[in-house]
Amino acid sequence: MATTDTDSAATPAPDGDATDDGAARAAAPAEDSDLGAAGSQLSTAPAEESGQAVPGSFGGVRRPGALGAAQWFGREVLGWFRWFWRQLTSMRVALLLLLLLSLGAIPGSLIPQNSVDEFKVAEFKAKHETLAPIYEQLGLFQVYGSVWFSAIYILLFISLIGCIVPRSWQFVGQLRGRPPAAPRRLTRLPAYTTWRTEATPDEVLAAAQKIVKRRRFRAHVTDGAVAAEKGYLRELGNLVFHIALIVMLVAFAVGQLWKSEGGKLIVAGEPGFANTISQYDDFKSGTFFDVDDLDPFSFRLDRFTASYEKSGPQRGTAREYQADVTYAVGADGEERKTTVEVNEPLDIAGSKVFLLGNGYAPVVTVKDGQGEIAFKGAVPFLPQDSNLTSSGVIKVPDYRDKNGKKDQLGFQGYFVPTFGGATERGMISQFPALDYPVLFLTAYHGSLGIDGGTPQNVYQLDNKRMKQFKEPDGSPFKAPLRPGETMKLPNGAGTLTFDGIKPWATFQVSHQPGNSGALVGAVAALVGLAASLFIQRRRVWVRATAGADGVTVVEMAGLGRSESLKLPEELADLAVALQADAPPAPEPDPDPDGSAPDADDPAEPADAAEGARA
């Protein structure tokens, strides 16, 4: 019957780390040196070279004279460079840099970033006057473009490449080579079994080679034993994992350097959007992005549909946002219709169009003092809360009063889709749907400040050079309006009619050229990590020798990259399969004098088996 043995104390512990592997070899007993190449490390981790990091340790003896000083200095510089390179390309430094990169990304998610929202950064600086200058000096408002984050990023990139290249060549060499020959004493390996058989050694070795190859081992016969090895995918997975990290780093860099991202607010039924720089409400791009590289496409918002929970604790919570759009690729492309929803962007011409927000745009008609239409259209109001209480302004630059004199009008107002009353700060909405819409406006006349060419926020009214219309009693002129109602300005200055309401939606057009590479790298990293964790590289040897009584002694042993309960089980399965071609023979009678044979002598297999069982 086959037996197995696990003896970790008398076995070298090969693993993937060069330092630990070298320490294990140094601590192994002298009698284990007979394992030879069979006990070599089962990974591609390069062995670290010895060398002191002490000034003068690399230059050696300094010869007299200028030439001697130059030679000493050159050796010293080269030695320090090699030492630094070994440290940088070691696995522990790579893991440390990866940890630092993860920690460095934390401020980027907690502190407002200039590349994401400059208004939030300005608001943060205004609220934290003490911290803001410190954060500014540390580059925490632009973490991913800071010097220290870039240094970590580049060092990690170099470290991974310097670690992968030699391991890859070593792995290729292992694939091209053959499993090492069996050690002299198989009993010292962690998994071992032996038995006697009537089959000849050649028959045993031929059957053993056939069996291990059927189990997908690489095998060959050398020095009267079958040497087999399996589990190369572990090291391949390890290399794939690190290469995938490099792919992800490159993809991240490409995405940051060549990216473009912009936002656009579009009113339903109004003229749409063409992908040109002038059409964006806001636009950000990477360092190497060229506006001439914008993909040619266009789209318009046909209809926006939103539904909300009407009762219960989740009342007012959105249940569905849906934007029906018509899009076309190229200047003369065929128009197509589709639907854009939250987290379901429109993929068009290499860019993605995301649905971000929504609101309402009151449609108004403003007539001047002459009765002529001075303005007509939908004006988007920006939401202030989850119930879409919105604020906005209406600017009328082309206006004449009742005397025909040129002037300008401005209306500051609030819009609520479901009127819920008024407070000192303004009106409030009880529900985001259009159940009881009300528009509340305050009117001004004067200079809007747009004639000087200074850019203005279209959602804010600069009333420093404007006067507010007054009621006959001197109070500010203001009025709430329902759809279809008209507000008459004092002294025949004109009218404003609340014609209706149109929904609007905001879209983000994002072009990230590195996303596909990052996805491929992430998937490959998971696959490689799974392979390196769950696949065990191991070696198996089968030796068959003729005993003194003419019966063949079969020895089987296994060695794994790390301690594992599966190795003895696998060796037992192989032994059972081999015993079909080499059935066990009866054990010989003990010596008449009762002495026990040497356990390490293959000529006396019965007692060797007893030693393995012990």
Side-chain angles (χ1 to χ4, degrees):
M1 185 66 180
T3 60
T4 59
D5 173 64
T6 303
D7 185 9
S8 58
T11 307
D15 56 46
D17 185 76
T19 304
D20 296 339
D21 187 66
R25 288 196 297 270
E31 59 267 20
D32 288 346
S33 61
D34 58 354
L35 293 180
S40 62
Q41 61 182 24
L42 297 176
S43 75
T44 56
E48 292 187 357
E49 302 177 15
S50 61
Q52 300 177 356
V54 180
S57 62
F58 304 111
V61 178
R62 181 173 177 175
R63 297 179 180 179
L67 181 59
Q71 291 176 343
W72 179 88
F73 180 76
R75 290 195 301 267
E76 188 73 10
V77 171
L78 180 61
W80 274 107
F81 176 79
R82 293 179 61 189
W83 176 86
F84 178 79
W85 178 255
R86 287 196 301 269
Q87 303 307 310
L88 180 61
T89 57
S90 64
M91 189 58 64
R92 57 177 174 268
V93 172
L95 293 175
L96 178 61
L97 290 172
L98 189 61
L99 176 62
L100 290 177
L101 193 71
S102 303
L103 294 177
I106 294 177
S109 60
L110 299 179
I111 301 174
Q113 300 294 294
N114 285 319
S115 59
V116 177
D117 194 333
E118 295 182 356
F119 294 104
K120 286 188 177 180
V121 173
E123 183 179 353
F124 182 91
K125 291 180 178 180
K127 291 182 178 180
H128 304 83
E129 297 181 357
T130 303
L131 287 177
I134 300 176
Y135 286 3
E136 189 74 39
Q137 292 294 326
L138 296 177
L140 296 183
F141 293 120
Q142 45 186 3
V143 168
Y144 305 111
S146 62
V147 175
W148 57 268
F149 190 87
S150 299
I152 298 175
Y153 186 91
I154 294 173
L155 286 175
L156 177 60
F157 190 82
I158 297 174
S159 177
L160 289 174
I161 293 178
C163 180
I164 289 173
V165 171
R167 291 174 71 114
S168 299
W169 284 114
Q170 185 173 350
F171 181 66
V172 171
Q174 292 177 357
L175 291 179
R176 297 179 61 183
R178 289 186 172 187
R184 188 168 65 89
R185 298 184 180 184
L186 293 178
T187 56
R188 299 188 180 279
L189 296 182
Y192 174 81
T193 185
T194 182
W195 72 92
R196 292 157 48 88
T197 182
E198 298 291 344
T200 64
D202 291 340
E203 292 174 345
V204 173
L205 295 180
Q209 186 176 16
K210 183 178 180 181
I211 290 172
V212 294
K213 284 187 175 181
R214 192 185 307 144
R215 302 288 181 93
R216 298 187 300 277
F217 279 83
R218 296 177 59 201
H220 70 113
V221 179
T222 177
D223 296 333
V226 174
E229 190 167 0
K230 186 179 182 180
Y232 289 92
L233 288 179
R234 180 189 182 100
E235 294 305 317
L236 179 62
N238 193 13
L239 293 175
V240 168
F241 173 74
H242 290 89
I243 293 174
L245 290 181
I246 293 180
V247 172
M248 293 174 64
L249 290 175
V250 172
F252 178 78
V254 170
Q256 292 297 311
L257 295 175
W258 279 275
K259 74 173 183 179
S260 66
E261 187 176 271
K264 179 64 177 180
L265 186 150
I266 303 177
V267 179
E270 297 288 321
F273 166 80
N275 193 27
T276 59
I277 191 67
S278 60
Q279 289 277 297
Y280 284 96
D281 295 333
D282 59 87
F283 185 82
K284 299 185 293 290
S285 63
T287 305
F288 297 147
F289 180 80
D290 189 347
V291 294
D292 294 333
D293 296 333
L294 286 171
D295 302 312
F297 65 86
S298 61
F299 68 92
R300 66 176 181 271
L301 177 62
D302 299 326
R303 183 177 59 182
F304 181 84
T305 305
S307 60
Y308 305 92
E309 194 69 38
K310 293 184 177 295
S311 61
Q314 300 295 323
R315 184 178 185 272
T317 302
R319 299 179 58 185
E320 179 187 17
Y321 286 146
Q322 179 176 304
D324 298 324
V325 301
T326 300
Y327 71 95
V329 179
D332 301 321
E334 178 184 357
E335 289 190 345
R336 299 180 181 180
K337 294 184 179 294
T338 189
T339 299
V340 182
E341 299 183 23
V342 178
N343 296 327
E344 295 183 12
L346 169 62
D347 196 338
I348 176 173
S351 299
K352 288 188 176 181
V353 180
F354 295 88
L355 175 62
L356 294 186
N358 68 292
Y360 297 106
V363 181
V364 298
T365 300
V366 179
K367 293 184 178 180
D368 60 17
Q370 304 291 316
E372 301 293 334
I373 296 178
F375 176 85
K376 182 179 179 64
V379 182
F381 277 44
L382 300 183
Q384 305 297 310
D385 56 31
S386 59
N387 286 328
L388 298 186
T389 300
S390 306
S391 65
V393 298
I394 303 172
K395 299 180 181 181
V396 185
D398 298 325
Y399 166 80
R400 294 179 181 272
D401 61 16
K402 62 180 181 179
N403 299 320
K405 183 180 178 181
K406 289 185 177 181
D407 201 356
Q408 295 179 341
L409 295 181
F411 298 88
Q412 179 77 52
Y414 288 91
F415 172 79
V416 289
T418 301
F419 181 68
T423 64
E424 295 180 354
R425 300 181 61 181
M427 296 192 303
I428 59 174
S429 175
Q430 292 183 334
F431 196 71
L434 294 172
D435 292 343
Y436 193 83
V438 174
L439 178 63
F440 186 86
L441 294 175
T442 301
Y444 297 83
H445 68 95
S447 173
L448 293 171
I450 61 177
D451 296 333
T454 303
Q456 282 192 358
N457 190 331
V458 296
Y459 303 107
Q460 294 180 354
L461 180 65
D462 183 4
N463 56 13
K464 295 179 181 179
R465 289 168 289 182
M466 306 189 77
K467 294 182 179 180
Q468 190 174 16
F469 283 99
K470 302 291 186 179
E471 295 283 3
D473 60 359
S475 61
F477 177 79
K478 52 188 177 180
L481 298 174
R482 293 272 293 143
E485 295 182 349
T486 299
M487 176 177 69
K488 295 183 178 180
L489 299 176
N491 303 320
T495 62
L496 182 145
T497 302
F498 183 14
D499 298 322
I501 307 153
K502 289 184 178 181
W504 57 258
T506 52
F507 297 89
Q508 182 186 69
V509 181
S510 178
H511 177 69
Q512 294 280 356
N515 283 351
S516 299
L519 178 60
V520 172
V523 173
L526 291 177
V527 173
L529 182 62
S532 64
L533 290 177
F534 297 109
I535 298 177
Q536 182 187 23
R537 189 171 172 190
R538 61 271 193 201
R539 293 167 180 163
V540 172
W541 294 274
V542 182
R543 176 180 287 151
T545 56
D549 55 356
V551 179
T552 301
V553 178
V554 181
E555 291 182 288
M556 295 184 67
L559 178 65
R561 184 177 184 272
S562 58
E563 293 291 337
S564 173
L565 296 177
K566 293 184 179 181
L567 180 61
E569 294 177 2
E570 185 174 29
L571 188 69
D573 291 341
L574 291 172
V576 171
L578 181 57
Q579 286 178 2
D581 297 299
E587 296 290 338
D589 294 333
D591 292 341
D593 59 359
S595 61
D598 185 5
D600 292 331
D601 186 359
E604 302 182 65
D607 292 328
E610 290 298 327
R613 292 190 188 94

